[in-house]
Amino acid sequence: MSCVRRLRKRTKSQELVYQEQCKIVAYENGKRIGLEGDPDLQFLLKGGDLLKVKSRSWRKTRFFRLNDDCKTMWQQTSKTFKSDSGFSLEDIDSVRYGRQTEGLRKYTDLSVEDRCFSIIFKSRRKNVDLIASSKEEAKRWVSGLEKVITGMQNLNRQQNTEHWIYNCMRKADKNADNKMSLKELKHFLRQINIEVDDSYAEMLFKKCDRSQSGTLEGSEIKHFYDLLTYRDEIDVIYAKYASTNGQMSSGDLLDFLQYEQREPVSSEYVQKLIEKYEVDEIAKQNKCMSKDGFLMYMNHEEGSIFNPVHKGIYQDMRQPLNHYFISSSHNTYLMEDQLKGPSSTEAYIKALMKSCRCVELDCWDGANGEPVIYHGHTLTSKVLFKDVIKAIKEYAFKTSQYPVILSLENHCSVEQQKIMAHHLTSILGSALLTQPLGYQMPTTFPGPEELKGRFLIKGKRLNKLDATFNNNTTEDEDSVSEEDEAAELKEAEQKPKEKSSNKIKLAKELSDMVIYCKSVHFSTFEHSRDNHNFYEMASFKESKAMNLAENSATAFIHHNMDKLSRIYPAGSRTDSSNYNPVPLWNAGCQIVALNFQTPCKEMELNQGRFLPNGKCGYMLKPEFQRDPASQFDPKNLSVGPWLQKKTLHVMIISAQQLPKINKDKQKSIVDPLVRVEIYGVPADNASKQTHHIENNGFNPTWNTDFQFTVHVPELALVRFVVEDYDAASHNDLVGLYTLPFTSMQNGYRHVPLLTKRGSLIPSAGLFVHIMALDG
């Protein structure tokens, strides 16, 4: 319940006491995120009035403030105050200063530019567009929110757990007396997603109530917290190696890392870990690691299943562009379905901020001579081409510096194509690639490193690329004035009885911008090899590509050693569903375009594929998909460099702080199970799951062993899925995590968990033991 609401029910003296309690709580939470005493944090906690904008006519003043948990925002929704009105800062994707959303640009004037800001959410929740009373106030809201969000994001798993439990305790403390009764303890246990019988709750309560006062307070609450967060599995591991006066010496820790975690590390590395994570100064001086320090280490990136070496750019980024898998989006402008949903610049921003490196623009003639982007022959809304290019320019390189491909599906008249060319050059400027790199006709692609910060246009071209060096203006009959094959096929699917035109005229200004990604028609692999240059690429509908990957995989792989291939979803996927990208990656296809707006298993696999290498949107393909001498076939695994057979042992040990699925029902507790899935070549695809644990989402334990055989680890993805078991219907998703097999660390590891939309669940995770052995 908010402070404002509670104050109405108190006397003046009670109000003063409660206000002091709120200050203390806010100070403690601010301290947890490293902002104790910060003036911007104090500004947010005090709150203030803002003008909320939904349309030209809907503008209403609303009071906003940061709750004292420093995790949630409270907002007034009407003349009456609602205690549950607001949103979590964890749900915020970004805070934008100025008129940086379609809503503010549409419904406000340029004169209020410096007083505007917007809150953008990770989910499909609508943006909150706001106007402050002054420029200074708007900037303070933005900087304050960004500080708190950054502070929360920088918390490690252990700090997140403490933060979360502390705030759950506060919610359970109904009368705000900083004490916990038995009734409040039971309420707290339900809040943290654990159901216990009354006798156990009473036993736990009596064990902690050393003063026998009938309530827990001070050190008793601390004792209760310690009992609650005690992890037997960590104790067992620590005790096995702590052979120096009950602590781990640097030698003990080295043994643990080399034998248990299979890390080839030195004594110097071990000492750095002790310096970094040991919380006890005496232990640190003695070059030892205490149990608390060990838990701290296990909860940081060194103890994660994801190899921290792969967190940044670690691959060779100077290979030809077609040697990489490229994170790619289909019909990027769409926020929802393919038939009647909105088109928006926001969709491009969200995709680019996820390091998507190939976006699609369906271009059509618009009113007043301005080309528009939308899904042709449907009821999807339209967005101006120039607004999309401005958004792409602004957000293309915020999360990755590597090149962005603009895939143009061109349906415009010559006049509006010229307008498109003008917008591309005037908005993108020198970042737009309009000439091949170097001073002579290239024979292969440049690498992502050479193309950093550049935009590449994919589309039709009137002539060969060498015309840029010899002024040849001869039109290429294979591609001149012909629509993108993808466009033809999609139109045929949507209007089967209407014969679509095979030809459009192409403006030279737009044609000349196509350098390394010239769209051509695909006939056969032999035809492409004999007639197409390296920069000439085809787009394949998913069914055609799947058929080639299934029946001509080796030929497809060799085709992709020389050229780029783009795959796109079938037109029948009007709900914006996705196809399985794995078989296409197995066939070496680079641009496997998916509907980024749809949370689904296929997008989770895509997120896992591009998790390493700095999440830059480019992953170097395995050598056997780049070597012309390779005869790799994903279906028929003959002996070759791809065959690096591994036996993968996975023990699912436990989970921590799983979120409640049904938050509306206080007594609803999850019954979690864990499934481990392998995706790769057909021989490697597998799935195994644990039994479910009843009524425990806080600290369920399984200790269940699985074994998998993985033949081609360089193409394999490992997916962990936690579900809430339901005997009567489909299980609900609790959290998941996907990563490449080759990015996994051996040993005892924590697995972070993500929501279905790919956002981190801060305090939740799995604890597992991983061992990948040869043969």
Side-chain angles (χ1 to χ4, degrees):
M1 186 174 288
S2 72
C3 292
V4 179
R5 179 74 170 175
R6 281 177 170 166
L7 289 174
R8 292 184 170 189
K9 296 183 177 181
R10 295 189 174 88
T11 64
K12 283 189 177 180
S13 61
Q14 286 174 325
E15 282 182 18
L16 291 172
V17 170
Y18 188 75
Q19 284 174 345
E20 286 306 308
Q21 287 178 344
C22 282
K23 286 179 183 177
I24 292 167
V25 169
Y27 175 84
E28 287 299 321
N29 281 311
K31 189 175 180 181
R32 282 182 173 84
I33 57 175
L35 294 175
E36 67 272 25
D38 185 273
D40 285 336
L41 177 62
Q42 300 309 313
F43 172 80
L44 294 180
L45 290 165
K46 182 182 177 182
D49 288 335
L50 293 165
L51 190 65
K52 191 173 181 179
V53 179
K54 289 188 177 180
S55 69
R56 281 278 179 191
S57 58
W58 198 104
R59 296 182 177 206
K60 297 187 180 180
T61 300
R62 293 287 184 254
F63 183 83
F64 286 80
R65 69 180 292 277
L66 179 67
N67 284 328
D68 48 32
D69 62 4
C70 294
K71 288 183 72 173
T72 53
M73 287 292 293
W74 181 85
Q75 65 171 321
Q76 173 193 2
T77 56
S78 63
K79 290 181 181 179
T80 58
F81 286 80
K82 290 185 179 180
S83 63
D84 61 346
S85 175
F87 48 85
S88 170
L89 266 61
E90 290 172 359
D91 296 333
I92 295 177
D93 183 68
S94 61
V95 184
R96 297 184 200 154
Y97 175 66
R99 296 163 67 245
Q100 296 297 314
T101 63
E102 287 180 354
L104 283 175
R105 284 194 292 267
K106 189 175 181 180
Y107 303 129
T108 64
D109 298 324
L110 188 60
S111 60
V112 295
E113 173 81 39
D114 59 3
R115 290 165 47 203
C116 294
F117 70 98
S118 300
I119 297 171
I120 315 299
F121 294 95
K122 295 173 182 174
S123 65
R124 286 186 179 176
R125 179 172 180 164
K126 289 183 178 178
N127 303 336
V128 177
D129 291 328
L130 301 163
I131 303 177
S133 60
S134 68
K135 172 183 176 180
E136 293 70 29
E137 187 182 324
K139 286 191 170 181
R140 200 151 191 202
W141 276 103
V142 172
S143 64
L145 286 168
E146 287 178 340
K147 273 187 185 179
V148 177
I149 292 167
T150 300
M152 287 172 55
Q153 289 172 343
N154 289 338
L155 294 176
N156 61 54
R157 286 190 71 248
Q158 189 171 341
Q159 291 170 324
N160 266 312
T161 296
E162 291 171 358
H163 194 75
W164 177 64
I165 291 176
Y166 178 79
N167 285 303
C168 285
M169 283 181 171
R170 284 210 64 252
K171 288 178 185 176
D173 183 13
K174 291 292 188 181
N175 59 1
D177 61 356
N178 289 327
K179 299 176 182 178
M180 188 176 288
S181 66
L182 176 60
K183 183 178 179 181
E184 287 174 332
L185 180 137
K186 291 177 181 176
H187 176 69
F188 166 73
L189 290 173
R190 282 196 297 272
Q191 275 215 312
I192 64 170
N193 211 359
I194 183 170
E195 185 69 50
V196 298
D197 59 40
D198 288 348
S199 60
Y200 179 78
E202 288 169 18
M203 181 273 291
L204 198 60
F205 186 84
K206 286 176 181 176
K207 193 172 183 178
C208 298
D209 186 17
R210 293 164 177 166
S211 64
Q212 297 184 345
S213 62
T215 59
L216 305 183
E217 55 184 303
S219 61
E220 294 172 336
I221 292 178
K222 174 69 168 66
H223 182 49
F224 169 67
Y225 172 83
D226 289 341
L227 285 176
L228 195 67
T229 55
Y230 171 73
R231 290 183 58 185
D232 182 58
E233 68 272 36
I234 297 292
D235 262 18
V236 170
I237 299 164
Y238 184 79
K240 182 179 176 182
Y241 286 90
S243 60
T244 309
N245 299 320
Q247 290 190 328
M248 274 189 181
S249 66
S250 56
D252 295 335
L253 184 54
L254 182 62
D255 288 343
F256 169 76
L257 292 172
Q258 289 182 341
Y259 177 76
E260 209 70 67
Q261 308 293 76
R262 302 297 172 99
E263 295 181 32
V265 296
S266 64
S267 299
E268 290 75 22
Y269 175 82
V270 168
Q271 193 53 46
K272 285 179 183 177
L273 283 185
I274 293 173
E275 286 292 327
K276 188 175 181 181
Y277 294 122
E278 182 49 56
V279 292
D280 185 296
E281 285 302 321
I282 296 175
K284 192 181 289 187
Q285 288 171 16
N286 293 331
K287 297 183 178 180
C288 288
M289 185 171 270
S290 66
K291 193 191 301 179
D292 288 340
F294 183 70
L295 184 59
M296 188 74 76
Y297 149 73
M298 291 296 288
N299 277 318
H300 275 76
E301 67 177 12
E302 290 90 345
S304 170
I305 191 171
F306 179 57
N307 187 345
V309 173
H310 290 187
K311 188 176 180 181
I313 303 292
Y314 73 98
Q315 293 185 326
D316 177 8
M317 301 304 287
R318 296 184 181 278
Q319 296 281 325
L321 198 68
N322 64 314
H323 284 190
Y324 298 82
F325 297 126
I326 304 172
S327 183
S328 305
S329 163
H330 167 253
N331 286 359
T332 315
Y333 48 90
L334 292 176
M335 297 285 284
E336 296 172 12
D337 64 76
Q338 306 280 314
L339 295 179
K340 60 184 186 306
S343 303
S344 173
T345 57
E346 284 298 326
Y348 286 93
I349 294 169
K350 285 180 182 290
L352 291 167
M353 292 301 286
K354 290 178 181 177
S355 295
C356 175
R357 298 292 87 185
C358 179
V359 296
E360 185 176 10
L361 300 87
D362 285 11
C363 309
W364 299 79
D365 280 358
N368 304 316
E370 283 291 345
V372 294
I373 292 175
Y374 84 112
H375 200 196
H377 309 301
T378 70
L379 299 176
T380 57
S381 65
K382 299 173 182 177
V383 60
L384 288 175
F385 177 83
K386 66 179 178 181
D387 286 348
V388 167
I389 301 303
K390 286 176 184 176
I392 290 172
K393 166 72 170 175
E394 177 73 19
Y395 289 92
F397 304 113
K398 286 189 180 292
T399 58
S400 170
Q401 288 298 305
Y402 291 107
V404 172
I405 300 169
L406 307 185
S407 180
L408 302 184
E409 193 171 293
N410 178 16
H411 306 266
C412 292
S413 62
V414 170
E415 290 72 21
Q416 293 211 7
Q417 287 179 48
K418 290 178 181 179
I419 300 297
M420 286 169 59
H422 168 73
H423 289 324
L424 287 166
T425 52
S426 63
I427 295 169
L428 301 181
S430 61
L432 178 65
L433 192 76
T434 56
Q435 290 282 333
L437 300 184
Y439 300 101
Q440 57 187 17
M441 180 61 197
T443 56
T444 188
F445 293 97
E449 189 68 29
E450 296 171 88
L451 293 167
K452 262 187 174 180
R454 306 301 295 270
F455 294 98
L456 280 62
I457 303 298
K458 173 193 169 294
K460 288 293 179 184
R461 184 181 170 93
L462 289 167
N463 50 22
K464 298 286 187 182
L465 187 58
D466 56 9
T468 59
F469 293 95
N470 58 23
N471 295 318
N472 178 14
T473 58
T474 304
E475 292 187 348
D476 176 6
E477 290 302 321
D478 182 52
S479 67
V480 66
S481 306
E482 190 178 317
E483 285 188 15
D484 193 296
E485 183 184 11
E488 293 174 14
L489 288 168
K490 281 199 288 189
E491 285 189 23
E493 286 166 350
Q494 291 157 7
K495 290 186 168 261
K497 293 181 182 177
E498 202 176 291
K499 192 172 181 181
S500 63
S501 169
N502 286 330
K503 299 215 172 202
I504 60 166
K505 290 185 178 180
L506 193 58
K508 184 178 185 299
E509 293 87 339
L510 193 60
S511 165
D512 287 350
M513 292 179 178
V514 176
I515 306 300
Y516 291 117
C517 301
K518 177 185 174 182
S519 299
V520 295
H521 174 78
F522 176 81
S523 177
T524 65
F525 292 130
E526 292 76 14
H527 179 268
S528 292
R529 185 185 63 228
D530 297 338
N531 296 279
H532 292 155
N533 289 295
F534 75 93
Y535 57 84
E536 295 177 306
M537 61 176 290
S539 288
F540 301 85
K541 186 169 66 172
E542 67 171 272
S543 56
K544 172 76 170 175
M546 287 289 188
N547 182 53
L548 292 171
E550 175 75 15
N551 299 309
S552 308
T554 304
F556 209 171
I557 290 165
H558 277 264
H559 173 84
N560 290 321
M561 288 179 190
D562 298 320
K563 299 173 180 66
L564 286 166
S565 290
R566 178 178 175 271
I567 319 301
Y568 62 93
S572 57
R573 294 185 181 273
T574 55
D575 58 352
S576 294
S577 59
N578 280 307
Y579 55 91
N580 180 5
V582 175
L584 287 316
W585 290 327
N586 290 345
C589 298
Q590 304 89 349
I591 302 177
V592 182
L594 299 175
N595 291 307
F596 265 54
Q597 72 271 36
T598 306
C600 57
K601 180 172 70 176
E602 293 78 18
M603 270 306 299
E604 292 153 16
L605 293 172
N606 193 76
Q607 185 173 6
R609 169 64 70 205
F610 294 99
L611 174 66
N613 209 33
K615 294 183 182 178
C616 74
Y618 285 84
M619 285 295 296
L620 186 63
K621 295 195 286 186
E623 175 67 26
F624 56 79
Q625 288 188 323
R626 297 180 278 127
D627 179 6
S630 172
Q631 290 302 308
F632 172 62
D633 182 345
K635 281 179 67 179
N636 302 302
L637 298 175
S638 57
V639 176
W642 49 85
L643 200 60
Q644 301 171 29
K645 188 177 175 183
K646 301 280 185 183
T647 300
L648 175 64
H649 297 271
V650 180
M651 175 185 271
I652 304 297
I653 301 172
S654 61
Q656 296 78 43
Q657 290 89 57
L658 300 177
K660 291 180 71 139
I661 300 303
N662 193 343
K663 293 181 181 178
D664 297 330
K665 293 184 179 178
Q666 278 195 350
K667 293 188 177 181
S668 173
I669 309 294
V670 300
D671 304 326
L673 62 82
V674 182
R675 189 166 59 254
V676 182
E677 302 168 347
I678 310 290
Y679 294 87
V681 298
D684 291 344
N685 294 333
S687 175
K688 296 180 180 181
Q689 73 180 39
T690 67
H691 60 284
H692 71 276
I693 306 278
E694 290 193 0
N695 292 330
N696 187 355
F698 183 73
N699 56 1
T701 300
W702 290 274
N703 288 322
T704 301
D705 282 301
F706 298 133
Q707 182 175 312
F708 301 91
T709 300
V710 179
H711 299 83
V712 187
E714 289 185 87
L715 288 174
L717 296 167
V718 183
R719 184 171 182 252
F720 295 87
V721 185
V722 183
E723 291 181 340
D724 180 13
Y725 173 76
D726 193 324
S729 62
H730 289 297
N731 296 345
D732 290 321
L733 176 70
V734 176
L736 54 91
Y737 189 72
T738 309
L739 78 167
F741 183 99
T742 51
S743 292
M744 281 199 308
Q745 295 202 97
N746 283 319
Y748 290 102
R749 302 294 176 183
H750 280 106
V751 181
L753 292 175
L754 310 177
T755 66
K756 67 179 180 179
R757 289 193 175 274
S759 301
L760 182 70
I761 305 171
S763 58
L766 294 173
F767 188 55
V768 302
H769 186 266
I770 302 291
M771 195 55 62
L773 303 172
D774 291 335

